[in-house]
Amino acid sequence: MPSQPRSPVETTLLLGAIADDFTGATDVANNLARQGMRVVQVIGVPSPAFDPGLVDAVVVALKSRSIAAADAVSQSLQALAWLRGRGCQQVVFKYCSTFDSTDAGNIGPVADALLRALDHDFALVCPAFPENRRTVYKGYLFAGDVLLNESGMENHPLNPMRDANLLRVLARQTDGRVGLVPFETVRQGVSVTRAALDRLRADGYRYAVADVLEDAHLHVLAEAVAEHPLVTGGSGIALGLPENFRRAGRLGAAADAADLGSFAGPAAVLSGSCSRATLGQVAYMRERCPAFALDALSLAEGQDQVAEALQFAREYVGDGPVLIYASADPATVKRAQDALGVAEAGSLIESALAAISRGLVEQGVRRLVVAGGETSGAVVSALGVNALRIGRQIDPGVPWTATTGSDSVALALKSGNFGGEDFFLRAFQVL
Ligand SMILES: Nc1ncnc2c1ncn2[C@@H]1O[C@H](COP(=O)(O)OP(=O)(O)OP(=O)(O)O)[C@@H](O)[C@H]1O
Ligand SMILES: O=C(O)[C@@H](O)C(=O)CO
């Protein structure tokens, strides 16, 4: 990383991030903003002419987590080319803190391709985010108090995570060797950790999974990879990276997140996530607010649930936020998937929620919470959003954002597993 002091007119970006889903993108953007970077999140790869304004970091939000690996690779490489065109010297490949992927990818194939394009041969693998109770010990990923494969993620509709050992999971997705930087190393600080990373690289490893139990370990790792062109991980590692630029004199003191201005008017929650956390949040809101449930099998039979949901919203939306959800327990999801196929069931729901979001905004909704990464991707695409400003954090990993341009809509894109039980209702108090 160049250590020239940053001139006030410098337009090169310090850091770029490529996120494999839209909630993940706001998550990493939020953590960079909390550490004092001016961040903009762009939806998809921007056009060559796109001007992000005077910012320190751009997060490119892709919807590449659950598509064919070749497509994920090609989109990620386009994002990389755009970021490098803007002078970024370090790029974060942001995937889920629960390492959402299958044996077909896409974490391994995308990381491999990014390394090749950067003409480099080694990268950190750090999904940990202790603030959201994602920790890694001996290479095993924990979500809360349990191993990943006991956390509910084993029932994920698109990428069931049935193995908590990240070395094994990643090894099935890459031909590169995957090693471990154990907790005993990380806790000894930056120089010991950097030396361990260098040793793994010299021994021919392509990836180093890192143990992380608390934020201090993220900061150690972030400093140890200050010179790495590619860093891969969840949003947690982004908590430590801005400090590298500050230390090099290229980033000013931390400032408050952008004030998004005031948003009033109709409010709605759209939920397509079936994670445990979201199911709890849906149950909480359903007891307190008008709610409308979508069902994949009814949609497949041709029932016009989009029109029904919009009619429901017209009736109730003036009285406070309304909830429209497809979120369902694992048995219901399985019934739909057995009948329709995993991809078809997911895409029916995503298309319906996307069409509903468009209708809601046409009906005047200006504050929208969306739960689920794939769901958020579908909604944001349907709304034709190009870029998002990052605002105040609601819960760790989830900030309010606002669409750029006129007639701005406030959007909170909530990762499936994030947020407290009352998240949906509390979100509107934070805005
Ligand atoms: N009732 C249902 N039956 C079948 N599939 C469903 C149902 N409800 C939601 N889905 C699908 O499940 C998938 C959930 O993925 P999504 O990324 O939105 O949530 P998540 O994985 O919990 O969130 P994140 O990616 O942020 O962790 C979507 O494709 C959605 O359409
Ligand atoms: O890292 C996470 O857990 C989230 O940002 C996410 O990617 C969920 O889709």
Side-chain angles (χ1 to χ4, degrees), residues 36-202:
M37 281 191 154
R38 296 163 298 176
V39 189
V40 112
Q41 174 174 337
V42 293
I43 308 301
V45 182
S47 70
F50 176 78
D51 177 9
L54 195 60
V55 291
D56 304 301
V58 167
V59 177
V60 180
L62 300 179
K63 195 170 180 303
S64 55
R65 185 175 292 175
S66 303
I67 61 177
D71 296 335
V73 164
S74 128
Q75 290 180 25
S76 305
L77 289 176
Q78 288 171 43
L80 177 69
W82 190 89
L83 290 168
R84 289 177 90 194
R86 295 305 166 117
C88 278
Q89 296 193 0
Q90 187 168 52
V91 171
V92 177
F93 168 32
K94 158 70 179 70
Y95 40 74
C96 195
S97 64
T98 43
F99 215 73
D100 296 22
S101 52
T102 68
D103 289 355
N106 289 336
I107 295 176
V110 169
D112 284 347
L114 294 174
L115 277 177
R116 262 195 309 276
L118 288 162
D119 200 17
H120 197 62
D121 54 10
F122 187 75
L124 176 70
V125 174
C126 182
F129 188 11
E131 220 177 336
N132 265 330
R133 308 189 71 215
R134 310 286 191 269
T135 52
V136 179
Y137 184 61
K138 305 284 181 201
Y140 286 80
L141 179 55
F142 288 79
D145 297 327
V146 295
L147 286 166
L148 177 66
N149 56 310
E150 299 170 10
S151 68
M153 282 303 296
E154 68 277 21
N155 297 316
H156 190 281
L158 304 179
N159 43 258
M161 299 304 292
R162 303 202 169 112
D163 185 357
N165 184 302
L166 296 178
L167 283 82
R168 278 196 306 253
V169 174
L170 184 56
R172 291 195 286 267
Q173 300 178 31
T174 172
D175 58 4
R177 293 176 72 197
V178 187
L180 176 69
V181 184
F183 164 69
E184 292 77 5
T185 301
V186 180
R187 77 165 162 196
Q188 291 183 67
V190 177
S191 56
V192 175
T193 300
R194 191 182 290 125
L197 289 165
D198 289 348
R199 213 162 31 247
L200 284 172
R201 183 178 177 199

Side-chain angles (χ1 to χ4, degrees), residues 2-372:
S3 51
Q4 293 298 312
R6 189 156 198 240
S7 100
V9 292
E10 187 174 356
T11 53
T12 21
L13 295 175
L14 299 179
L15 193 79
I18 303 169
D20 70 353
D21 84 344
F22 289 25
T23 48
T26 48
D27 178 11
V28 69
N30 180 48
N31 278 354
L32 293 171
R34 281 165 72 201
Q35 299 304 316
M37 281 191 154
R38 296 163 298 176
V39 189
V40 112
Q41 174 174 337
V42 293
I43 308 301
V45 182
S47 70
F50 176 78
D51 177 9
L54 195 60
V55 291
D56 304 301
V58 167
V59 177
V60 180
L62 300 179
K63 195 170 180 303
S64 55
R65 185 175 292 175
S66 303
I67 61 177
D71 296 335
V73 164
S74 128
Q75 290 180 25
S76 305
L77 289 176
Q78 288 171 43
L80 177 69
W82 190 89
L83 290 168
R84 289 177 90 194
R86 295 305 166 117
C88 278
Q89 296 193 0
Q90 187 168 52
V91 171
V92 177
F93 168 32
K94 158 70 179 70
Y95 40 74
C96 195
S97 64
T98 43
F99 215 73
D100 296 22
S101 52
T102 68
D103 289 355
N106 289 336
I107 295 176
V110 169
D112 284 347
L114 294 174
L115 277 177
R116 262 195 309 276
L118 288 162
D119 200 17
H120 197 62
D121 54 10
F122 187 75
L124 176 70
V125 174
C126 182
F129 188 11
E131 220 177 336
N132 265 330
R133 308 189 71 215
R134 310 286 191 269
T135 52
V136 179
Y137 184 61
K138 305 284 181 201
Y140 286 80
L141 179 55
F142 288 79
D145 297 327
V146 295
L147 286 166
L148 177 66
N149 56 310
E150 299 170 10
S151 68
M153 282 303 296
E154 68 277 21
N155 297 316
H156 190 281
L158 304 179
N159 43 258
M161 299 304 292
R162 303 202 169 112
D163 185 357
N165 184 302
L166 296 178
L167 283 82
R168 278 196 306 253
V169 174
L170 184 56
R172 291 195 286 267
Q173 300 178 31
T174 172
D175 58 4
R177 293 176 72 197
V178 187
L180 176 69
V181 184
F183 164 69
E184 292 77 5
T185 301
V186 180
R187 77 165 162 196
Q188 291 183 67
V190 177
S191 56
V192 175
T193 300
R194 191 182 290 125
L197 289 165
D198 289 348
R199 213 162 31 247
L200 284 172
R201 183 178 177 199
D203 288 347
Y205 286 87
R206 191 181 299 164
Y207 296 108
V209 173
D211 281 353
V212 169
L213 300 186
E214 55 190 32
D215 276 3
H217 302 150
L218 290 174
H219 290 280
V220 166
L221 285 160
E223 190 173 345
V225 299
E227 305 296 328
H228 289 201
L230 178 70
V231 178
T232 87
S235 68
I237 192 69
L239 287 170
L241 296 174
E243 195 54 34
N244 293 333
F245 295 94
R246 197 166 284 122
R247 224 177 272 113
R250 302 196 64 197
L251 180 66
D256 281 349
D259 180 2
L260 295 180
S262 72
F263 284 85
V269 175
L270 293 178
S271 179
S273 159
C274 301
S275 75
R276 258 184 215 171
T278 305
L279 292 178
Q281 291 154 355
V282 165
Y284 183 93
M285 183 164 174
R286 212 175 38 201
E287 281 170 17
R288 292 164 175 81
C289 298
F292 182 95
L294 297 171
D295 169 58
L297 292 171
S298 306
L299 284 166
E301 282 161 11
Q303 194 177 323
D304 194 351
Q305 291 201 314
V306 172
E308 289 170 19
L310 290 173
Q311 181 53 37
F312 154 83
R314 257 191 298 274
E315 278 172 36
Y316 291 103
V317 87
D319 308 331
V322 297
L323 169 66
I324 298 171
Y325 66 100
S327 314
D329 58 75
T332 309
V333 172
K334 184 164 186 318
R335 257 196 316 281
Q337 292 183 333
D338 287 348
L340 306 170
V342 173
E344 177 61 12
S347 100
L348 268 174
I349 299 272
E350 285 174 37
S351 309
L353 286 169
I356 291 167
S357 70
R358 218 173 19 237
L360 288 175
V361 170
E362 279 164 18
Q363 287 176 205
V365 166
R366 283 292 169 274
R367 297 175 291 157
L368 197 55
V369 174
V370 187

